[in-house]
C-alpha cells in the first residue's frame, strides 16, 4: 500500500472523481468522470453533488427540491421497510381514558392501569433496539447541567448509527437523500447524522447540556416540566420500573397495526408532560429515519407524510442559537402530530 501511495498526487488522494467537493469552477477536463464548472449544467455533465457544493442557494430549485409528493412516496417506502417493528402480538396497550383538549393540562391521573399491558422484550435483543437502549442512560435529564460524554458513550453512539445504517429503512432514506443531492456518500450522511442528533448545545446558560437525541428520545426536564420524551421504548422501560405514570391520551391514530400513534399525558418522577406524542411499536431506525427525513426536508415546518395509506404529520425545529460545520443546524426537537 505504501508503494502505491507514492505514485498518487494529493488531488488523487483527497478529491473524489465523482464529487464536486473542493472542485467548484475546476477547469473542464474531458477525462473527468463528471464536472463542476458552470458549463456542466448546459452540457448535462455535472457531478451529482454539484448543486450542494457549488451553488450559493445550495440546491437546484427543480431537480433537487423535495416535493410534498416525494415525502408521501418515500414515507410509504420507509413504512414498508420497517421489518423490525413490533408485530400485533408483540405489544398490548391499554389506552383507557381519552382526554379532551381542555383536560390535557389538568395533571389528573384518569387511567388507573399502566399503558403497557404486555411487551415482548425479545424485540429488545434486535441490534438496533439493543444499541438504542444503551444510549438512554447517557444523559443528565435536567437542562442546565453539563453533559459529560465518556469514550464509552461515544462508542455507543457510533454503534447505534452503525446498526441503523444496516437496515433497509435507513438505506432507503439515504438513497432518497442522495438522489436529491443532500449527501454525496453514505459516510457523509453518517457523519451528519452524528452531528445533528448527538452534537451538544446549550438550552441553559452556556452549558453543553442538550442534544437532539437526548431531547426527543430520552427526554429532559426543564423548568419543572417534561420536555421532549417522544419514544415508546423509553416510556415502557420507565413505566415498568414505576418511574412513569400514564394519565390519559388525547389522540389515538387510525392504525390497526404497528406503528401506531398516541398523544399521551403522563408524569415522570412527578414532572408532568401535557402532550407527549409517540409512535408505538415502530423500530428505533424507523422513528430516527422519519424525524431525520422531515428535519432535512421541512425544518421548522410541518412535514406531511403517509403511512399505510393514512395521513400523518411530523413537526421538527432546528436549534437556532448554535451551529456545526458550515452553518448546519442541530435538531432542537421532532415529534409526530395528528393530521
Amino acid at each position: 500500500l505504501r508503494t502505491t501511495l507514492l505514485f498518487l498526487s494529493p488531488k488523487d488522494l483527497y478529491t473524489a472523481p465523482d464529487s464536486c467537493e473542493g472542485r467548484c469552477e475546476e477547469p473542464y477536463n474531458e477525462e473527468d468522470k463528471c464536472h463542476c464548472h458552470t458549463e456542466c449544467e448546459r452540457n448535462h455533465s455535472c457531478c451529482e453533488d454539484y448543486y450542494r457544493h457549488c451553488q450559493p442557494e445550495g440546491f437546484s430549485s427543480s431537480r433537487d427540491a423535495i416535493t410534498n409528493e416525494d415525502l408521501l412516496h418515500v414515507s410509504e417506502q420507509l413504512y414498508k421497510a420497517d421489518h423490525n417493528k413490533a408485530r400485533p402480538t408483540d405489544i398490548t396497550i391499554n389506552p383507557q381514558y381519552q382526554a379532551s383538549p381542555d383536560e390535557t393540562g389538568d395533571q389528573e391521573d384518569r387511567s388507573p392501569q399502566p399503558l403497557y399491558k404486555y411487551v415482548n422484550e425479545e424485540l429488545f435483543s434486535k441490534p438496533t433496539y439493543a444499541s438504542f437502549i444503551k444510549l438512554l442512560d447517557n444523559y443528565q435529564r435536567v437542562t442546565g447541567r453539563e453533559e459529560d460524554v465518556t469514550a464509552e458513550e461515544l462508542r455507543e453512539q457510533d454503534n447505534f448509527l452503525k446498526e441503523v445504517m444496516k437496515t433497509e429503512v435507513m438505506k432507503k432514506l439515504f438513497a432518497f437523500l442522495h438522489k436529491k443531492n443532500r449527501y454525496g456518500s453514505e459516510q457523509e450522511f453518517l457523519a451528519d447524522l452524528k452531528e445533528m442528533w448527538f452534537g451538544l448545545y446549550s438550552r441553559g446558560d452556556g452549558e453543553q447540556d442538550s442534544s437532539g437525541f437526548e431531547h426527543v428520545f430520552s427526554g429532559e426536564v426543564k423548568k419543572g416540566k417534561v420536555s421532549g420524551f417522544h419514544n415508546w421504548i423509553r416510556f415502557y422501560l420507565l413505566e415498568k420500573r414505576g418511574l412513569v405514570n400514564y394519565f390519559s391520551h388525547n389522540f389515538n391514530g387510525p392504525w390497526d397495526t404497528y406503528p401506531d400513534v398516541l398523544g399521551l399525558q403522563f408524569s415522570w418522577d412527578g414532572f408532568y408532560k401535557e402532550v407527549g406524542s409517540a409512535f408505538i411499536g415502530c423500530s428505533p431506525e424507523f422513528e430516527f429515519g422519519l424525524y431525520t427525513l422531515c428535519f432535512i426536508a421541512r425544518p421548522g415546518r410541518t412535514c406531511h407524510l403517509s403511512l399505510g395509506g393514512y395521513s400523518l404529520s411530523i413537526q421538527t425545529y432546528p436549534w437556532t442559537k448554535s451551529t456545526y460545520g458550515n452553518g448546519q443546524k442541530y435538531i432542537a426537537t421532532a415529534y409526530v402530530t395528528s393530521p
Side-chain angles (χ1 to χ4, degrees):
L1 177 63
R2 189 171 298 164
T3 306
T4 306
L5 290 180
L6 291 173
F7 297 98
L8 292 173
S9 71
K11 180 176 180 295
D12 292 324
L13 282 172
Y14 300 115
T15 303
D18 57 352
S19 171
C20 281
E21 187 170 3
R23 293 179 56 208
C24 296
E25 296 303 313
E26 182 180 86
Y28 178 83
N29 183 332
E30 64 179 13
E31 293 180 8
D32 288 339
K33 291 183 179 179
C34 56
H35 304 100
C36 305
H37 193 274
T38 49
E39 293 293 310
C40 74
E41 291 182 277
R42 191 173 63 194
N43 298 332
H44 304 292
S45 64
C46 299
C47 297
E48 284 194 2
D49 60 2
Y50 169 77
Y51 291 100
R52 186 157 49 82
H53 289 299
C54 303
Q55 292 289 323
E57 68 271 21
F59 307 111
S60 149
S61 60
S62 55
R63 190 180 73 176
D64 296 337
I66 297 176
T67 66
N68 289 337
E69 290 72 25
D70 287 334
L71 289 172
L72 296 176
H73 179 69
V74 73
S75 55
E76 285 289 2
Q77 283 192 320
L78 300 182
Y79 179 74
K80 288 177 183 143
D82 189 13
H83 307 305
N84 285 330
K85 69 183 177 185
R87 297 161 299 180
T89 54
D90 286 330
I91 300 176
T92 306
I93 58 173
N94 184 17
Q96 300 165 82
Y97 188 82
Q98 182 160 359
S100 64
D102 58 356
E103 290 176 319
T104 60
D106 289 352
Q107 302 192 35
E108 186 176 334
D109 185 357
R110 295 181 169 93
S111 301
Q113 301 299 318
L115 174 61
Y116 288 92
K117 291 177 74 173
Y118 169 75
V119 171
N120 177 9
E121 293 194 9
E122 286 183 13
L123 282 170
F124 301 159
S125 64
K126 292 175 182 278
T128 56
Y129 285 81
S131 58
F132 173 82
I133 289 168
K134 282 190 174 179
L135 295 169
L136 296 176
D137 63 358
N138 289 355
Y139 300 102
Q140 296 261 14
R141 69 177 180 185
V142 178
T143 59
R145 293 186 185 174
E146 184 96 13
E147 292 292 345
D148 178 22
V149 184
T150 66
E152 176 63 24
E153 288 170 353
L154 288 172
R155 282 193 294 271
E156 288 174 354
Q157 293 173 10
D158 289 337
N159 189 53
F160 170 71
L161 291 170
K162 180 186 77 174
E163 292 299 340
V164 297
M165 286 307 298
K166 292 177 184 176
T167 66
E168 188 179 345
V169 167
M170 292 300 286
K171 287 188 180 298
K172 282 186 179 295
L173 176 60
F174 168 70
F176 172 76
L177 294 172
H178 178 63
K179 182 180 176 183
K180 293 293 183 178
N181 285 320
R182 267 40 176 192
Y183 298 98
S185 68
E186 194 169 302
Q187 290 75 19
E188 185 186 348
F189 180 45
L190 194 61
D192 199 36
L193 284 174
K194 184 164 185 179
E195 288 292 339
M196 75 168 74
W197 279 107
F198 293 103
L200 293 174
Y201 51 82
S202 175
R203 289 184 190 263
D205 299 317
E207 310 89 354
Q208 298 292 89
D209 64 341
S210 188
S211 68
F213 186 93
E214 176 185 4
H215 180 85
V216 173
F217 294 103
S218 184
E220 298 180 296
V221 172
K222 185 176 183 181
K223 297 180 180 177
K225 291 187 176 180
V226 176
S227 182
F229 197 142
H230 298 286
N231 179 255
W232 76 270
I233 300 167
R234 174 71 160 162
F235 189 102
Y236 165 75
L237 292 172
L238 290 176
E239 186 180 59
K240 182 182 175 184
R241 291 166 55 193
L243 299 175
V244 159
N245 182 17
Y246 170 71
F247 283 14
S248 57
H249 69 284
N250 65 301
F251 173 75
N252 192 343
W255 293 270
D256 55 8
T257 184
Y258 297 115
D260 198 354
V261 176
L262 281 179
L264 310 171
Q265 290 72 51
F266 61 92
S267 71
W268 177 20
D269 266 354
F271 300 103
Y272 187 60
K273 180 71 175 179
E274 189 169 321
V275 179
S277 61
F279 286 104
I280 309 293
C282 67
S283 69
E285 62 266 26
F286 178 78
E287 194 171 7
F288 189 72
L290 274 197
Y291 290 154
T292 299
L293 168 67
C294 286
F295 182 69
I296 291 168
R298 300 288 186 270
R301 291 177 285 156
T302 305
C303 178
H304 299 293
L305 308 178
S306 178
L307 302 185
Y310 291 104
S311 297
L312 179 86
S313 299
I314 284 174
Q315 180 71 49
T316 67
Y317 288 104
W319 187 252
T320 58
K321 297 177 183 177
S322 55
T323 61
Y324 67 90
N326 296 316
Q328 289 136 288
K329 299 287 200 304
Y330 299 104
I331 290 175
T333 192
Y335 52 90
V336 59
T337 65
S338 55

